[in-house]
């Protein structure tokens, strides 16, 4: 069954049938060939119970929050402010790219939105100040991927929903690896630019009072992050409710900076409905596939399969990592995550691994998929925003950061506490 | 004919999407009000339940809009390697498969609604919402999505028959890379 599903999955995906529909088709296939009783009778109920779900409404809320921030011009101010703080480092403005992406990750749940936001503001600066385009654009593509690791993260909500794990715990677990990865990106940038200064650009030192003034521009984003995460851990609100608070906060910030108009609001709403529907079609499809796989006895088959392979838990994880790296070249984030969860997560949990920890490891690997060609969405997003130069420049520039992600994945495997320490400490 | 048909579908779904968005905003406002009320010891109660219904209805009604905006993700590794006619065939195949699948889902929604109607089922919650009241608009959304899928498929089929591959690609092709989410 595992083999048939995997082969069917790749065959149907390569026909360019929409990912959500492919998941339904696989579910129908399992029902026809592997299930002792007709599962299709449960289809209507499953679609209803999957979408009638208060947890998932966090998805449109976080998407809307991001859309409002992106369209309100707040990104430009944040970027300028962070430029004051980090451009003295070797690599100059490249650090501002990473830092801005990190800050936006902390309020937006999406990676492409983060990369698109930073790319739009940063690219004109690169040309003006004569930066080497490779490292500069690679840093934006890589920094943008942090959006799905640093909470709030739409991908972690989807993971938590499909694997029945706690979303607040997942959020906490993503925080430290996310910040560590951001720091890693900056360290790598500094090292590369110290060895080869031509890859960076002018280092600029700003007078301290100017730096202090810039801090004020960062305040709204800090505040928004604190409100969202704070209300969750104070127990005032569930992640879903915190998302509603975030939407209100984003509207308030946009209004304070004069970025609210009917047109902007309409665009934000339309973008939200489109993205939410796209996500929900794959989530409902994955949910149906999950249900058929479980009903047809995936658990037992997995045990037999693992027993026959005789792999140690560590070997299993390494094989899984390789699978993600290879698939990541061809399939983009959410689809990659959703199509693999029904098969891979039970397999990993069967081996005794913590599903929260594995969620974070999976997100790091999926982030890498975002910046590895030929299908790396963030590469295209950044290329789209810079409008000149070759695609290969962005790809080359992203390589050091992809290596940093690989190192992070290795660290997570060696020291699971990097992810689990914070949720364990805060939630006994 | 095909062009005006697609234009009408787009306009209709544009307004549907705006309504769905407003529904979501209202829901956010409602949730927010409840959080504030809870701090002073009161509560509407049932925000979770209502959020769930809003999500189910918003999801099913938003699908058609996402379809016309080429929002549903496809992997175009093979598709992008063939000529315009080949791409049109890939697109038609996936529209056909999508239309059939969605129709099946819409049909399968009926037993859910039917049971709620015949048993006059109410949600097992303090609100005791009559389930048919929320399941009917939910199912209508899936029927709407199925209808949109078939109409778009027919329009695209006409375009391909006229060898107007550029127009069919605009109607049922893949999203621009930068448009994809997440």
């Amino acid at each position: 069954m595992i083999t048939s599903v995997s082969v069917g999955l790749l065959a149907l995906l390569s026909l360019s049938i929409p990912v959500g529909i492919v998941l339904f088709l696989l579910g129908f296939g399992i029902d026809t060939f592997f299930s002792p009783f007709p599962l299709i009778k449960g289809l209507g109920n499953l679609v209803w119970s999957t979408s009638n779900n208060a947890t998932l409404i966090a998805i449109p809320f976080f998407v809307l929050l991001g859309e409002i921030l992106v369209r309100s011009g707040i990104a430009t101010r944040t970027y300028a402010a962070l430029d004051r703080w980090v451009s003295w480092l070797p690599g100059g403005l490249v650090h501002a790219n990473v830092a801005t992406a990190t800050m936006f990750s902390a309020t937006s749940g999406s990676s492409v939105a983060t990369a698109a936001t930073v790319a739009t503001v940063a690219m004109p600066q690169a040309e003006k100040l004569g930066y080497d385009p490779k490292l500069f654009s690679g840093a934006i593509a890589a920094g943008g991927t942090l959006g799905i690791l640093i909470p709030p993260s739409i991908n972690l909500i989807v993971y938590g929903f499909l694997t029945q794990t706690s979303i607040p715990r997942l959020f906490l677990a993503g925080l430290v690896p996310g910040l560590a990865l951001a720091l890693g990106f900056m360290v790598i940038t500094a090292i590369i630019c110290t060895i080869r200064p031509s890859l960076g650009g002018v280092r600029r030192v700003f007078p301290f009072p100017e730096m202090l003034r810039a801090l004020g521009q960062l305040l709204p984003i800090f505040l928004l992050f604190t409100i969202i995460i704070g209300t969750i851990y104070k127990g005032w609100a569930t992640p879903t409710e915190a998302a509603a608070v975030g939407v209100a906060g984003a509207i308030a910030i946009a209004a304070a900076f004069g970025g609210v108009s009917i047109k902007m609001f309409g665009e934000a709403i339309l973008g939200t409905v489109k993205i939410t529907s796209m996500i929900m079609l794959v989530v409902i499809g994955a949910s149906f596939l999950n249900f058929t796989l479980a009903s047809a006895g995936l658990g037992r088959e997995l045990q037999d399969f693992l027993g026959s392979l005789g792999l140690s838990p560590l070997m299993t994880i390494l094989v899984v990592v390789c699978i993600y790296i290879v698939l990541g070249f061809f399939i983009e984030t959410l689809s990659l995550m959703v199509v693999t969860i029904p098969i891979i997560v039970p397999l990993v949990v069967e081996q005794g691994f913590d599903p929260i920890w594995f969620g974070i490891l999976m997100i790091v690997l999926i982030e890498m998929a975002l910046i590895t060609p030929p299908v790396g969405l963030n590469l295209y997003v950044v290329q789209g925003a810079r409008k000149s130069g070759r695609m290969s420049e962005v790809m080359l520039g992203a390589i050091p950061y992809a290596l940093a992600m690989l190192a992070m994945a290795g660290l997570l495997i060696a020291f699971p506490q990097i992810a689990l320490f914070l949720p364990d400490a805060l939630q006994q | 004919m095909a062009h005006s048909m697609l234009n009408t579908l787009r306009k209709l779904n544009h307004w549907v999407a705006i309504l769905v968005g407003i529904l979501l905003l209202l829901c956010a406002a409602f949730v927010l009000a409840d959080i504030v009320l809870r701090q002073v010891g009161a509560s509407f109660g049932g925000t979770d339940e209502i959020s769930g219904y809003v999500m189910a209805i918003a999801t099913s009604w938003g699908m058609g809009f996402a379809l016309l905006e080429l929002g549903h993700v496809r992997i175009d590794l093979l598709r992008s390697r063939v000529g315009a006619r080949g791409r049109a065939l890939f697109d038609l195949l996936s529209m056909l498969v999508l239309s059939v699948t969605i129709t099946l889902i819409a049909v399968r929604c009926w037993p859910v609604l039917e049971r709620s109607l015949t048993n006059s089922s109410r949600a097992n919650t303090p609100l005791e919402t009559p389930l048919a009241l929320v399941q009917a608009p939910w199912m209508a959304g899936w029927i709407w999505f199925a209808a949109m899928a078939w109409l778009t498929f027919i329009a695209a089929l006409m375009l391909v028959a006229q060898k107007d591959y550029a127009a069919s690609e605009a109607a049922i092709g893949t999203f621009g890379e930068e448009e994809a989410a997440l």
Side-chain angles (χ1 to χ4, degrees):
Chain A
M1 183 164 77
I2 299 170
T3 326
S4 329
V5 171
S6 308
V7 172
L9 177 69
L10 293 178
L12 291 171
L13 284 180
S14 64
L15 281 175
S16 84
I17 294 170
V19 177
I21 301 298
V22 168
L23 297 169
F24 278 111
L25 294 179
L26 288 174
F28 298 151
I30 288 168
D31 184 22
T32 313
F33 298 112
F34 296 101
S35 169
F37 36 86
L39 298 172
I40 190 140
K41 284 196 186 310
L43 177 62
N45 256 322
L46 198 116
V47 174
W48 167 250
S49 58
T50 307
S51 50
N52 167 26
N53 186 298
T55 308
L56 291 181
I57 208 165
I59 295 174
F61 289 172
F62 279 129
V63 174
L64 182 59
L65 189 167
E67 291 269 326
I68 291 172
L69 281 186
V70 165
R71 292 171 201 275
S72 67
I74 194 112
T76 320
R77 293 157 186 276
T78 310
Y79 190 72
L82 285 168
D83 172 29
R84 304 283 183 277
W85 278 84
V86 293
S87 283
W88 58 272
L89 290 160
L93 213 46
V94 178
H95 295 283
N97 296 350
V98 176
T100 311
T102 310
M103 284 207 71
F104 267 79
S105 304
T107 46
S108 131
S110 141
S111 279
V112 170
T114 307
T117 310
V118 180
T120 324
V121 227
M123 277 307 168
Q125 301 293 323
E127 284 159 27
K128 208 159 66 191
L129 295 169
Y131 273 79
D132 179 88
K134 288 196 282 293
L135 202 61
F136 193 87
S137 48
I140 300 175
T145 66
L146 295 171
I148 57 174
L149 186 55
I150 298 178
S153 152
I154 291 167
N155 292 55
L156 282 178
I157 295 175
V158 170
Y159 179 90
F161 174 74
L162 289 176
T163 61
Q164 306 285 312
T165 41
S166 149
I167 293 167
R169 273 180 70 86
L170 282 167
F171 277 11
L172 278 179
L175 191 58
V176 175
L179 293 178
L181 207 48
L183 197 68
F185 289 167
M186 293 179 75
V187 170
I188 285 195
T189 308
I191 293 174
I192 293 176
C193 294
T194 310
I195 301 170
R196 296 271 304 275
S198 62
L199 286 176
V202 238
R203 292 167 65 174
R204 289 174 302 161
V205 181
F206 293 91
F208 194 64
E210 199 174 323
M211 286 170 76
L212 275 186
R213 267 202 306 280
L215 222 47
Q217 303 285 351
L218 298 180
L219 212 59
I221 300 268
F222 265 124
L223 212 62
L224 194 56
F225 176 71
T226 316
I227 290 171
I228 293 171
I229 301 301
T231 45
I232 297 179
Y233 297 108
K234 274 282 181 187
W236 292 342
T238 62
T240 306
E241 293 169 343
V245 177
V247 170
I251 294 175
I253 289 176
F257 285 104
V260 180
S261 67
I262 294 287
K263 182 168 173 287
M264 167 250 178
F265 226 76
E267 283 169 358
I269 283 181
L270 288 177
T272 304
V273 172
K274 175 179 153 188
I275 294 171
T276 306
S277 304
M278 180 280 276
I279 296 174
M280 283 306 288
L281 188 62
V282 287
V283 168
I284 297 173
S287 216
F288 180 63
L289 179 60
N290 252 340
F291 160 72
T292 56
L293 279 172
S295 310
L298 175 75
R300 205 178 38 232
E301 189 168 321
L302 276 179
Q303 272 177 344
D304 296 348
F305 176 70
L306 286 174
S308 71
L309 286 179
L311 289 177
S312 68
L314 180 65
M315 281 304 289
T316 312
I317 282 292
L318 292 180
V319 170
V320 166
V321 169
C322 292
I323 293 175
Y324 276 107
I325 293 174
V326 173
L327 288 180
F329 286 121
F330 307 103
I331 308 179
E332 54 80 54
T333 8
L334 186 73
S335 317
L336 177 57
M337 210 178 100
V338 167
V339 300
T340 53
I341 283 177
I343 304 172
I344 304 257
V345 174
L347 191 145
V348 169
V349 173
E350 193 71 46
Q351 290 275 32
F353 289 103
D354 185 326
I356 301 270
W357 165 81
F358 183 69
I360 303 303
L361 177 66
M362 181 194 252
I363 295 281
V364 172
L365 294 169
I366 280 168
E367 284 186 81
M368 216 163 82
L370 274 171
I371 57 167
T372 45
V375 182
L377 277 181
N378 273 14
L379 298 173
Y380 294 98
V381 170
V382 173
Q383 176 66 14
R386 70 194 201 111
K387 298 187 178 85
S388 67
R390 285 200 316 278
M391 182 74 206
S392 58
E393 292 176 337
V394 190
M395 293 178 180
L396 273 176
I399 290 174
Y401 304 107
L403 292 177
M405 290 173 184
L406 201 56
M408 189 68 215
L411 281 173
L412 275 170
I413 294 171
F415 308 103
Q417 285 308 314
I418 299 175
L420 295 177
F421 155 77
L422 200 57
D424 285 348
L426 286 181
Q427 299 189 318
Q428 263 87 31
Chain B
M1 164 83 176
H3 285 280
S4 64
M5 199 165 137
L6 284 168
N7 272 336
T8 315
L9 294 182
R10 281 203 191 97
K11 263 190 212 132
L12 273 174
N13 279 285
H14 184 270
W15 287 110
V16 169
I18 294 272
L19 287 176
V20 168
I22 291 172
L23 182 68
L24 287 169
L25 276 175
L26 288 177
C27 183
F30 180 61
V31 169
L32 200 64
D34 196 62
I35 299 173
V36 176
L37 275 182
R38 275 202 307 252
Q39 293 305 311
V40 296
S43 169
F44 296 125
T47 46
D48 258 22
E49 188 183 346
I50 289 167
S51 304
Y53 300 147
V54 167
M55 191 59 193
I57 294 166
T59 299
S60 67
W61 281 94
M63 294 279 181
F65 174 70
L67 177 77
L68 285 156
E69 296 283 312
L70 309 181
H72 294 300
V73 206
R74 297 165 60 191
I75 313 284
D76 66 345
L77 223 53
L78 282 183
R79 180 189 174 279
S80 58
R81 273 158 221 275
V82 295
R85 215 171 82 183
R87 283 205 298 280
L89 290 178
F90 269 109
D91 293 344
L92 282 177
L93 172 74
S94 52
M95 267 314 292
L96 183 64
V97 174
L98 180 136
S99 309
V100 172
T101 310
I102 299 305
T103 307
L104 192 62
I105 295 175
V107 169
R108 287 285 160 181
C109 289
W110 171 241
V112 179
L113 177 58
E114 191 188 27
R115 201 169 43 244
S116 301
L117 283 172
T118 47
N119 302 346
S120 315
S121 324
R122 287 171 178 271
N124 186 17
T125 56
L127 291 184
E128 294 188 349
T129 315
L131 283 175
L133 201 70
V134 282
Q135 282 170 344
W138 160 75
M139 179 176 168
W142 284 99
I143 295 172
W144 175 262
F145 183 22
M148 291 306 112
W150 283 110
L151 291 173
T152 311
F153 173 70
I154 292 167
L157 195 63
M158 288 196 278
L159 291 171
V160 172
Q162 294 157 11
K163 297 199 185 338
D164 190 350
Y165 299 128
S168 89
E169 178 136 13
I172 59 168
T174 50
F175 53 88
E177 294 282 0
E178 73 277 13
E179 291 281 316
L182 300 179

